[in-house]
Amino acid sequence: MAELSWPPQGKAAVVGKPVERIDGPAKSTGAAKYAYDINAKGMLFARLLGCPHGHARIKSIDASAARQVPGVRSVKIMKEPGKGRKSEVLWEGDLIACVAADSDGAAREGVAAIRVEYEVLEPFVHEEFLAAAEQAGRTRSGGDNIKLQREPGDDEDEDEFADKEIARLLEEADVVVDAYYGIHSICHCPLEPHGSTCVWEGDRLLAHLSTQNVSGTPGQFASPLGITANDVTVHCDYIGGGFGSKFAADSWGVVAAQIAKETGRPVKLMLDRDLELKNAGNRPSGFIRVRVGADKQGVVNVWDSHHWGTNGPSGAPVSQGVIPYVFDPPNRRRRVTRVRTNTAPSRAWRAPNHPQGAALSQTAYDDVARKLGIDSYDVFMRNLPSVSNGKADVYAEQMRIAADLINWKSKWHPHGKGEARGSIVSGLGMALHTWGGGGHSSSCLVKIHPDGGVETFLGSQDLGTGTRTVIAMVVAETLGLPPAAVKVHIGNSQYPQSGPSGGSTTVAGVSESNRRGATAALEELAKLVAPKLDAKPEEIEAVDGRVRVRGKPNRSLSWKEACRLLGMKSIEARGEFKRGQPTDLSSSGVAGVQMAEVEVDRATGVVRVKKFVAVQDMGLVVNPLTAKSQIYGGVIMGIAYSLFEERIFDARTGKFLNADMSSYNLARLGDIGEIVVELYEPESEYRRGVIGLGEPPVISPGAALSNAVCNALGVRVPVLPMTPQRVLAALEKASVSS
Amino acid sequence: MKDSKHLRPPKAGFSRRDFLKGSGAAAAATAIGEGVSGAVAAEAGSSVVGPGPVSIALNVNGQRRSATVEPRTTLLEVLRYQFDLTGAKPISEDGSSGGSTVLLDGKPVSASTVLALEAVGREVRTVEGLHGDPVPAAFVANDGQQCGFCTPGFVVAVRAFLDKHPSASEAEIRAGLNGNICRCGTYANIIQAVLDVVKGGSDG
């Protein structure tokens, strides 16, 4: 196969043009069928019992009354009573039992009839309070990491040297910020909860699973069911949100399949909203104490931090690698403490670690500007030489574009020094981010039929990012057809394997495999067309619905005429891409700058987003329409976790108090202000090829909004989300201490 | 909509309230009327239904549809599991997400908070009944959807909002569509979609 590339910038026929998502009509008319929507004949409804205590041991379970409930067909116990580890419940909502019944109502009645005797144990759920965590025996060191310009002498103890050296650097700094920041855990909260509709066809399982991992989940069902992966088909045409939480079959998926097998009836098991929030995915929290030393210009020379947080029972906090985030000053020490809590285990949440890293460290950079009374923009700009990803020039250019779009220079004022309108003050803040986004391994099968029909098959999935549409565009570009001429088949594990959709790896992966597969298919077609046009196969190209000799529109066949040469046999060509292989079609590594303008009411503590600017590179932009949507979405999710969204636990019982949609606060349509998205795609980016976009835009909002609020008030609201209570508490604290 | 007329409560003579009062029926059973053919309901003057399943008829998207329901069965369950109309989504049971929004006599309600029996004798319109409406078309043109799970509920809510405010301003749109939750963050494009419909920009 010839060396593959994309057309030069501006020359592509389809790629780079805004194309409406091809599954848009199905979604907006309710025709799209999600796992929750699959209704099978004779289907049972299954519901789960969650533990009502934050920490407990199960002494006994009596399900006899549940089995007597009319309509109940099966009760499965998922936790073992007794003395062993398996009987210990480590968070409220951990799953105890499953009931399947003829109707949803009967299943719920069955769940309510299960009698469980618990020995209630001491819970710990408030990891923000490190001293309390230590007292409760819930902490342990997560290690430390030191980088200093000077090295210790041969006979010097390394730790003692580091202590002294950091003390010296802080002493010598023109300004020192000594601060505390935090970001609470949030849930994935996909609107379609986790779950599946499981149907057995003889000895084969068909699992309609809400999943980000179509190709990777059959084996997860097979192993506990005692069958092999070839006897499992996972199907997912549409997934109602995942955000990193839906890579697995999960215990409840397996239980559904087991009950379906035993009863001989299909089983639908989707989590209730409260069990979804309590079990099925959250993001680790992070809290930090930090001292930062900088010069008069705001250039940071030394960073010394201790951060802690939790990912649940095992206590792994935010990774050290993102502290401080993007900026990597010449001298730094970071220490980590793990805190074990009685909360559900975390799952990968869109851009794992990065949003927390930004919120825990770029706030400190902004506080350097505040303390010096200088412009945060200048401080960020002056620190760009220390960025760890070699993209200082890209950030600088993106900062200039973002500043223009938000009118930074004319609107900025020193922190807390803006003009107030009554109790309303406004402010500006910024942050920057980075992500990889290289393509995952992906295979596809492209078919060209004698009647001109084109199809591609791959075991990928469209999370709402527009994957289906991108695939159609790439194949269409390659074959000189409109996207509507390409039928895209994804969402079935019987198709060629394609990677899980996580870490912004999908768009590059599927663009690779489909560009390759469609090129190989076209090469097959060219062998038949070439003799008819008196040319060599390698001279053939497909443009504008015609197959022609390169650059010679008058020596051509229409697409249909060309395909008719196939006779009875369709072309089938594989496209293969292995993650990391050398390629000109895709790449990895992006930057991104975001700026926020907020209004804060000092009387009520309410923060409103007025304007939000996101400038984002992603290499070659395949579909600017859906790319922009991704960025809008990332920003809006960011507004949610910055201002509204958090899990609230009761310290005494360990209960998750707001595990429902009415009190687990997400942003609503009226909360988003004006969002301006700029796709940054100079030729230098375009020629890098396709790079993933899902994660980057969700990273910076926490820091950008915190910095904007701080600029408005002149006071840092240290912990996200910046609810009215926290804003008022920060103002109160500042007025007491001044 | 041809055959919907005979499902409506009779307009002349007496109101439903008068009827119930006059018949001495329990106030709790306001949902009953023509369309319920359960054995108990069939008894003259009685308005107690259940606890066992009863047959009802519902007017959904202009069609008369029969269902068998228990008193606890919600409208959402009937739509999804008996009629296979799965556009309305079970996102929250209490209606706080707007995921199951349908039109009941033209007014937006969360089908998860309405008992099937309460919908008897009323016009139910689901997202599937908005085929050809400019609202879903505007969602497509403006990419007002990502995963799409909230989209049907949003589409119906927008339809109801525009019925009431056909020339809504952007500020009114931002203030008036806060009953629906989207997790992917499609709001910015939804605002554009609604503005498009107001301007007549989407041909549907």
Side-chain angles (χ1 to χ4, degrees):
Chain A
M1 189 184 289
E3 199 66 24
L4 284 172
S5 61
W6 299 105
Q9 190 169 25
K11 301 288 181 201
V14 179
V15 162
K17 305 275 164 61
V19 174
E20 288 175 6
R21 61 181 72 220
I22 55 182
D23 49 9
K27 286 179 173 176
S28 67
T29 59
K33 294 284 183 189
Y34 298 74
Y36 212 144
D37 300 334
I38 303 289
N39 290 325
K41 197 162 185 282
M43 182 173 77
L44 297 176
F45 296 79
R47 291 287 167 186
L48 296 158
L49 172 66
C51 177
H53 307 290
H55 191 193
R57 197 178 299 284
I58 302 171
K59 291 160 80 175
S60 67
I61 303 177
D62 177 4
S64 54
R67 293 182 214 278
Q68 300 306 311
V69 170
V72 168
R73 302 293 167 187
S74 175
V75 181
K76 280 255 177 237
I77 305 302
M78 297 169 75
K79 279 264 181 202
E80 283 177 30
K83 300 247 177 264
R85 283 198 133 218
K86 285 182 178 171
S87 71
E88 190 178 351
V89 179
L90 290 173
W91 65 90
E92 190 219 355
D94 193 6
L95 304 174
I96 308 291
C98 177
V99 176
D102 293 337
S103 71
D104 205 10
R108 290 168 193 269
E109 212 178 304
V111 167
I114 297 173
R115 293 285 159 259
V116 185
E117 215 186 333
Y118 296 97
E119 176 194 349
V120 178
L121 306 171
E122 194 78 15
F124 183 79
V125 287
H126 283 167
E127 74 279 10
E128 182 179 1
F129 307 112
L130 190 58
E134 277 164 359
Q135 208 170 12
R138 295 299 191 117
T139 59
R140 128 173 119 78
S141 170
D144 57 16
N145 176 288
I146 300 170
K147 181 187 82 169
L148 295 170
Q149 280 175 310
R150 293 197 343 165
E151 286 181 12
D154 288 344
D155 50 355
E156 251 177 314
D157 178 84
E158 278 189 29
D159 288 342
E160 276 176 32
F161 172 78
D163 280 347
K164 271 195 268 178
E165 179 66 358
I166 284 167
R168 184 186 70 81
L169 290 165
L170 287 167
E171 183 69 29
E172 287 175 3
D174 293 325
V175 63
V176 173
V177 165
D178 185 341
Y180 166 69
Y181 308 99
I183 175 167
H184 276 280
S185 176
I186 59 167
C187 293
H188 293 71
C189 194
L191 293 194
E192 180 187 34
H194 285 65
S196 61
T197 304
C198 284
V199 184
W200 286 86
E201 294 166 338
D203 290 333
R204 288 185 48 83
L205 171 66
L206 170 59
H208 304 279
L209 179 69
S210 184
T211 184
Q212 299 174 238
N213 191 7
V214 164
S215 288
T217 37
Q220 300 177 22
F221 278 102
S223 169
L225 293 167
I227 55 177
T228 46
N230 57 305
D231 282 329
V232 179
T233 298
V234 166
H235 167 240
C236 177
D237 284 336
Y238 299 96
I239 166 178
F243 316 113
S245 68
K246 287 181 178 169
F247 292 116
D250 283 318
S251 62
W252 49 85
V254 173
V255 160
Q258 282 169 339
I259 295 175
K261 179 80 176 165
E262 285 167 20
T263 57
R265 291 171 65 177
V267 171
K268 181 188 296 297
L269 196 174
M270 307 300 292
L271 298 188
D272 289 300
R273 181 56 54 187
D274 69 321
L275 293 181
E276 166 67 39
L277 287 162
K278 288 170 185 171
N279 287 286
N282 63 76
R283 180 174 85 178
S285 59
F287 304 91
I288 196 167
R289 287 226 69 101
V290 59
R291 292 180 300 165
V292 185
D295 67 15
K296 283 194 179 68
Q297 298 293 305
V299 177
V300 173
N301 184 45
V302 55
W303 171 280
D304 183 28
S305 69
H306 173 206
H307 76 271
W308 65 95
T310 189
N311 71 342
S314 73
V318 172
S319 154
Q320 285 196 24
V322 293
I323 306 290
Y325 186 60
V326 180
F327 296 119
D328 192 16
N331 300 284
R332 63 158 158 72
R333 175 169 64 180
R334 50 201 189 199
R335 286 179 296 141
V336 189
T337 298
R338 303 163 69 105
V339 184
R340 287 182 297 112
T341 49
N342 292 107
T343 57
S346 293
R347 296 183 175 207
W349 194 98
R350 202 170 178 180
N353 292 307
H354 288 229
Q356 299 101 309
L360 296 178
S361 64
Q362 292 189 9
T363 41
Y365 275 67
D366 187 68
D367 275 332
V368 167
R370 174 167 69 114
K371 209 149 179 194
L372 288 167
I374 60 178
D375 191 335
S376 312
Y377 180 92
D378 296 333
V379 168
F380 274 70
M381 194 63 98
R382 287 170 194 152
N383 278 287
L384 286 182
S386 82
V387 299
S388 53
N389 59 3
K391 290 186 177 290
D393 294 346
V394 177
Y395 286 120
E397 186 54 26
Q398 292 180 342
M399 278 178 65
R400 284 190 275 271
I401 294 168
D404 273 353
L405 289 168
I406 207 161
N407 212 358
W408 183 287
K409 288 293 168 194
S410 67
K411 282 185 181 164
W412 189 83
H413 54 70
H415 290 73
K417 300 282 175 20
E419 224 172 278
R421 286 186 295 112
S423 59
I424 310 278
V425 286
S426 59
L428 292 177
M430 66 163 291
L432 37 85
H433 53 257
T434 185
W435 190 256
H440 57 211
S441 297
S442 175
S443 312
C444 71
L445 183 70
V446 176
K447 295 188 184 181
I448 300 176
H449 298 294
D451 62 1
V454 175
E455 301 180 276
T456 180
F457 299 78
L458 60 161
S460 186
Q461 49 278 319
D462 188 336
L463 271 52
T465 49
T467 304
R468 241 187 210 96
T469 312
V470 159
I471 291 169
M473 291 173 72
V474 166
V475 173
E477 177 73 42
T478 311
L479 300 181
L481 297 169
V486 180
K487 178 98 181 120
V488 178
H489 304 273
I490 58 172
N492 192 309
S493 63
Q494 298 294 309
Y495 301 154
Q497 282 194 31
S498 201
S501 288
S504 303
T505 56
T506 306
V507 67
V510 302
S511 296
E512 284 276 2
S513 60
N514 281 280
R515 180 74 165 163
R516 289 164 193 279
T519 302
L522 182 61
E523 283 173 359
E524 289 298 309
L525 187 64
K527 286 179 196 164
L528 299 172
V529 173
K532 301 280 175 201
L533 297 178
D534 205 15
K536 293 181 188 141
E538 55 271 24
E539 293 175 310
I540 298 298
E541 64 177 3
V543 177
D544 241 354
R546 300 195 72 82
V547 183
R548 68 184 196 190
V549 182
R550 194 172 311 281
K552 302 224 166 73
N554 55 343
R555 287 170 65 195
S556 68
L557 297 177
S558 75
W559 177 257
K560 285 208 172 211
E561 286 165 350
C563 293
R564 223 170 279 140
L565 300 175
L566 292 170
M568 302 291 281
K569 198 160 173 279
S570 301
I571 292 170
E572 293 191 357
R574 295 280 289 210
E576 301 271 359
F577 176 71
K578 288 269 175 292
R579 180 167 178 82
Q581 81 179 58
T583 174
D584 291 333
L585 293 177
S586 69
S587 183
S588 75
V590 300
V593 169
Q594 298 187 351
M595 293 183 180
E597 181 184 3
V598 299
E599 287 183 338
V600 188
D601 188 333
R602 295 177 58 98
T604 63
V606 170
V607 178
R608 306 241 356 132
V609 180
K610 206 169 166 213
K611 186 166 179 174
F612 200 104
V613 170
V615 180
Q616 186 62 54
D617 54 303
M618 68 214 78
L620 178 158
V621 182
V622 181
N623 186 354
L625 181 66
T626 48
K628 280 189 174 173
S629 296
Q630 279 295 288
I631 299 172
Y632 284 126
V635 169
I636 291 167
M637 279 186 125
I639 290 170
Y641 73 68
S642 302
L643 300 182
F644 309 116
E645 189 184 353
E646 77 180 296
R647 302 187 299 181
I648 298 170
F649 286 99
D650 176 53
R652 198 173 54 80
T653 61
K655 277 182 186 290
F656 183 159
L657 298 174
N658 61 333
D660 57 71
M661 296 305 292
S662 59
S663 51
Y664 185 82
N665 286 341
L666 294 169
R668 302 221 178 202
L669 185 139
D671 295 321
I672 63 169
E674 180 196 359
I675 303 173
V676 178
V677 169
E678 177 74 12
L679 305 181
Y680 178 79
E681 196 192 19
E683 207 277 330
S684 55
E685 291 297 330
Y686 178 88
R687 68 163 172 255
R688 301 178 66 213
V690 182
I691 307 175
L693 174 65
E695 332 290 304
V698 85
I699 297 168
S700 278
L705 287 162
S706 177
N707 294 344
V709 169
C710 183
N711 182 246
L713 296 171
V715 169
R716 177 67 59 178
V717 181
V719 176
L720 301 183
M722 294 177 287
T723 56
Q725 295 93 315
R726 287 201 180 92
V727 172
L728 294 176
L731 286 170
E732 171 82 19
K733 193 174 166 205
S735 75
V736 167
S737 63
S738 63
Chain B
M1 303 300 285
K2 250 192 340 227
D3 59 352
S4 66
K5 221 166 72 192
H6 73 273
L7 288 173
R8 288 190 187 146
K11 284 213 170 98
F14 55 87
S15 71
R16 174 176 300 273
R17 175 184 295 225
D18 291 335
F19 172 77
L20 287 171
K21 237 194 289 181
S23 69
T30 54
I32 326 303
E34 60 276 48
V36 178
S37 60
V40 186
E43 283 174 31
S46 168
S47 55
V48 177
V49 172
V54 294
S55 299
I56 58 169
L58 293 175
N59 172 6
V60 180
N61 298 329
Q63 288 184 321
R64 186 188 165 92
R65 312 273 309 247
S66 317
T68 306
V69 303
E70 296 175 75
R72 66 184 171 191
T73 308
T74 63
L75 174 60
L76 182 64
E77 288 176 276
V78 172
L79 293 173
R80 290 178 57 82
Y81 302 128
Q82 298 198 38
F83 303 157
D84 203 30
L85 293 170
T86 55
K89 305 293 189 214
I91 294 172
S92 60
E93 285 181 20
D94 61 1
S96 54
S97 68
S100 66
T101 305
V102 299
L103 301 178
L104 198 57
D105 288 338
K107 293 211 174 67
V109 298
S110 284
S112 60
T113 65
V114 176
L115 293 173
L117 288 168
E118 290 179 279
V120 171
R122 304 171 74 178
E123 274 183 38
V124 181
R125 196 159 191 82
T126 70
V127 70
E128 290 89 348
L130 294 180
H131 199 75
D133 189 284
V135 174
F139 270 64
V140 176
N142 291 277
D143 208 34
Q145 46 194 351
Q146 289 186 33
C147 86
F149 206 70
C150 76
T151 309
F154 241 120
V155 164
V156 176
V158 167
R159 176 72 275 157
F161 173 78
L162 288 175
D163 283 346
K164 220 170 159 184
H165 311 279
S167 38
S169 66
E170 182 172 336
E172 287 168 334
I173 292 165
R174 286 177 185 264
L177 283 166
N178 288 286
N180 292 64
I181 289 176
C182 168
R183 183 50 160 156
C184 300
T186 57
Y187 301 135
N189 287 344
I190 290 175
I191 292 167
Q192 289 309 312
V194 181
L195 282 169
D196 241 24
V197 181
V198 169
K199 289 181 205 137
S202 265
D203 49 328

